[in-house]
Amino acid sequence: MKQAIIMAAGKGTRMMSNKPKVLHKVCGKTMIEQLVSTVNELDVERICTVVGYGKDEVMSVMKDKCEFAIQEPQLGTGHAVMMAEQFKDLKGKTLVINGDCPCLSKETFEKMYDSIDTSTPMCILTVVLDNPKSYGRVIKDKNGLVKKIVEYKDSNEQELNVREINTGIYCFDNELLFKYLKEIEANNAQKEYYITDLVEIFNNHGHQVKAYVTKNIEEVQGVNNKLELANANKYLRNLINEELMLKGVELIDPDSTYISNDVVFGTDCIVYPNVVIEGKCVIGNNTVIESGSFIKNSNIGDNCHVMASRITDSVMKNGINIGPNSHLRNGCTIEDNVRIGNFVEFKNTHFGYNSKCAHLTYIGDAEVGEKCNMGCGVVTVNYDGVNKFRTVIKDGAFIGSNVNMIAPITIGKNAVIAAGSTVNKDVGDGEMAIARSYQINKPEYGLKYKNKEKK
Ligand code: UD1
Ligand code: CA
């Protein structure tokens, strides 16, 4: 049986932020979500996140994604693991992970699980750095087994010269882990319970501790401040983009393309520079996404063309052109062959097959049928300041330019609304509605007006 404990109760003081450290995002995903989804790629039965600082926020982001243990107050990394009491009677192997290492790969986690056995029930992921900064130093014996880890603040000069450091990722035999956690004491510079003390404790009880030394320095980088956050972002972004390009996605400038790792593309897609695609998205075949687009939690079908537009929580089917500068939000579904032009906003709208909406329009809380046409400047007046109301527009309706439809309202099949109308009553099938004042032309008034201007 395999399980994992993620330590995420610290504030992350060096982030200079009110937000818990693990809720900072890398490639569009919080660090903690990133870690949990990587661990979930392995056959791990249970994942427990230890929360403390900002626990409500962290738990609401992670609810349904893992279980939790609460650490209050935060008395150190060893104390954090003790809080995962629900694991204390489990058998098998337990991975313990610093919550601030978002770049770790599933291959590395797999190697950690494979590194321990009955003769060596504890393993630490380490790396050798030119500049070991303030990381914990790994002290080994002549056989290469780990004797202890000394925290930077507790190190003597000789220990500070050691360049092999603790990355904060460990694998343990679960029964021994919980047996020996109790022996950790807080007698150190920071008066904290250090998980790293388990190295000496395991050794004292005759258990070997080994190090799995990785060469991938970037993968194990911890995020302690905004500079390191940016570095982690860059590293993961490059990995994601490289993989996408090798799978056939054409990224014109990968350095300015930000795609999260839950985005799936079909064949022959082209992504222009300065595009962001976040969350869970599926992009179909032959779809082109031009500069300035932001797409989140949305599905876009085949043969679509997105020009500098924002699309969130929506579905666009096939052969759709949108933009420049349009916005779909809050659960829109756009059927095949639609054209949505410049400066158009759709909210919570179902827009039917082959319908058009080319310019400067707001359609909210609406059901629009097939082959409808929205003129320039059409507005669904869906909100009275208190409640929202629906607009239903049936197949083939033609809505003239600058029409306001005051909802709730239904516009019938093949109905026409004259330009400039403000309608608040239903329009029947095949009817035409005109709701605007009559025009009066006054002879010579134009000239009189002009002459007055001159004086
Ligand atoms: C820790 C290690 C250090 C290692 C480094 C790698 C210890 C004592 N030291 O130091 O050897 O080189 O990571 O990055 O473990 N946390 C809790 N509860 C607490 C304290 C921390 O959940 O009471 C969590 C934090 O939220 C964070 C992780 O544990 O995700 C690591 O804590 P942090 O304070 O960053 O440890 P470091 O000082 O970096
Ligand atoms: Ca850290």
Side-chain angles (χ1 to χ4, degrees):
M1 181 164 170
K2 287 179 190 163
Q3 46 271 333
I5 297 172
I6 302 175
M7 299 180 283
K11 177 169 193 268
T13 313
R14 290 163 284 176
M15 295 300 277
M16 303 285 171
S17 165
N18 293 321
K19 196 159 58 177
K21 173 153 80 175
V22 294
L23 291 188
H24 287 81
K25 288 185 177 179
V26 284
C27 296
K29 220 171 177 178
T30 63
M31 290 200 255
I32 183 74
E33 287 173 285
Q34 186 75 39
L35 259 180
V36 169
S37 68
T38 308
V39 176
N40 264 325
E41 288 176 42
L42 304 165
D43 58 337
V44 172
E45 266 151 284
R46 293 173 68 177
I47 302 175
C48 176
T49 301
V50 182
V51 294
Y53 179 81
K55 66 176 191 311
D56 296 335
E57 275 174 89
V58 179
M59 284 162 81
S60 86
V61 170
M62 296 308 292
K63 81 170 183 302
D64 308 327
K65 294 185 178 140
C66 62
E67 37 186 298
F68 302 99
I70 293 172
Q71 186 197 21
E72 257 165 355
Q74 289 90 47
L75 303 178
T77 45
H79 182 247
V81 180
M82 287 176 214
M83 300 301 111
E85 275 209 313
Q86 63 260 56
F87 281 11
K88 77 174 191 303
D89 299 320
L90 299 179
K91 295 207 174 357
K93 301 178 179 183
T94 301
L95 195 61
V96 175
I97 311 164
N98 270 4
D100 60 1
C101 295
C103 301
L104 286 158
S105 66
K106 77 161 203 265
E107 288 75 20
T108 301
F109 287 144
E110 216 154 25
K111 290 219 174 80
M112 289 297 289
Y113 277 121
D114 292 344
S115 290
I116 64 161
D117 52 34
T118 40
S119 69
T120 313
M122 173 176 181
C123 178
I124 305 160
L125 181 64
T126 70
V127 69
V128 179
L129 298 180
D130 288 336
N131 171 13
K133 299 193 265 188
S134 60
Y135 287 111
R137 306 299 202 259
V138 177
I139 312 298
K140 287 177 160 175
D141 68 10
K142 56 181 185 305
N143 301 319
L145 290 168
V146 186
K147 289 290 133 192
K148 62 174 178 177
I149 294 173
V150 216
E151 286 308 296
Y152 175 77
K153 289 181 181 159
D154 302 301
S155 307
N156 61 36
E157 206 165 323
Q158 198 189 347
E159 288 161 343
L160 286 180
N161 287 331
V162 173
R163 293 193 297 117
E164 183 171 355
I165 62 98
N166 168 28
T167 63
I169 317 300
Y170 321 82
C171 194
F172 296 93
D173 172 90
N174 192 70
E175 287 169 295
L176 295 179
L177 167 65
F178 280 91
K179 184 171 169 195
Y180 296 136
L181 268 176
K182 300 181 198 120
E183 294 187 21
I184 299 178
E185 289 170 26
N187 50 2
N188 49 53
Q190 305 189 82
K191 301 274 172 288
E192 284 185 359
Y193 296 88
Y194 291 165
I195 190 176
T196 46
D197 285 358
L198 284 175
V199 178
E200 275 186 281
I201 297 170
F202 269 60
N203 274 297
N204 291 343
H205 288 279
H207 299 292
Q208 292 184 356
V209 178
K210 75 174 181 195
Y212 168 59
V213 193
T214 176
K215 294 233 151 29
N216 190 338
I217 294 173
E218 288 178 292
E219 179 184 319
V220 297
Q221 61 188 313
V223 172
N224 296 297
N225 55 43
K226 298 274 165 73
L227 179 64
E228 290 172 349
L229 182 68
N231 289 338
N233 249 308
K234 194 169 180 181
Y235 171 75
L236 274 188
R237 175 154 52 90
N238 284 340
L239 277 188
I240 292 168
N241 287 350
E242 275 170 31
E243 192 181 324
L244 288 174
M245 289 185 284
L246 294 176
K247 281 185 178 161
V249 183
E250 187 174 334
L251 305 182
I252 293 177
D253 178 20
D255 288 340
S256 69
T257 306
Y258 301 78
I259 300 176
S260 77
N261 57 3
D262 294 326
V263 180
V264 180
F265 284 87
T267 50
D268 291 315
C269 290
I270 303 176
V271 181
Y272 280 64
N274 292 318
V275 166
V276 178
I277 310 179
E278 280 186 1
K280 281 199 166 34
C281 295
V282 179
I283 316 286
N285 302 319
N286 289 312
T287 282
V288 177
I289 300 170
E290 285 192 18
S291 298
S293 295
F294 178 96
I295 300 166
K296 186 171 180 178
N297 296 331
S298 294
N299 289 358
I300 297 180
D302 300 341
N303 301 309
C304 290
H305 201 118
V306 178
M307 288 166 273
S309 290
R310 183 176 179 99
I311 299 162
T312 58
D313 306 304
S314 292
V315 175
M316 272 174 53
K317 295 194 178 168
N318 308 299
I320 298 165
N321 276 12
I322 180 169
N325 300 305
S326 285
H327 187 184
L328 305 183
R329 63 188 175 97
N330 264 22
C332 290
T333 301
I334 314 299
E335 298 293 339
D336 290 356
N337 280 8
V338 159
R339 161 152 168 66
I340 299 169
N342 320 252
F343 299 97
V344 170
E345 178 183 356
F346 280 12
K347 186 212 74 171
N348 183 26
T349 283
H350 179 228
F351 202 74
Y353 167 78
N354 224 350
S355 287
K356 312 253 173 305
C357 183
H359 330 267
L360 301 161
T361 290
Y362 172 64
I363 307 284
D365 304 313
E367 171 69 45
V368 179
E370 299 184 355
K371 297 181 184 156
C372 292
N373 187 74
M374 308 288 120
C376 175
V378 166
V379 174
T380 54
V381 183
N382 62 327
Y383 185 48
D384 63 3
V386 184
N387 294 306
K388 302 271 169 77
F389 300 96
R390 280 192 78 71
T391 299
V392 176
I393 301 171
K394 298 199 171 157
D395 296 351
F398 182 96
I399 315 297
S401 289
N402 244 351
V403 163
N404 300 310
M405 289 168 282
I406 301 179
I409 193 167
T410 299
I411 313 300
K413 222 171 164 177
N414 295 319
V416 173
I417 304 180
S421 296
T422 292
V423 292
N424 60 357
K425 291 198 293 270
D426 288 355
V427 181
D429 291 351
E431 289 181 354
M432 175 171 182
I434 308 177
R436 61 188 189 211
S437 48
Y438 282 98
Q439 181 173 337
I440 303 166
N441 290 5
K442 298 194 171 183
E444 318 250 324
Y445 264 56
L447 286 175
K448 270 194 207 162
Y449 187 80
K450 284 272 165 196
N451 289 336
K452 219 159 66 185
E453 255 182 2
K454 273 183 202 149
K455 277 182 208 155

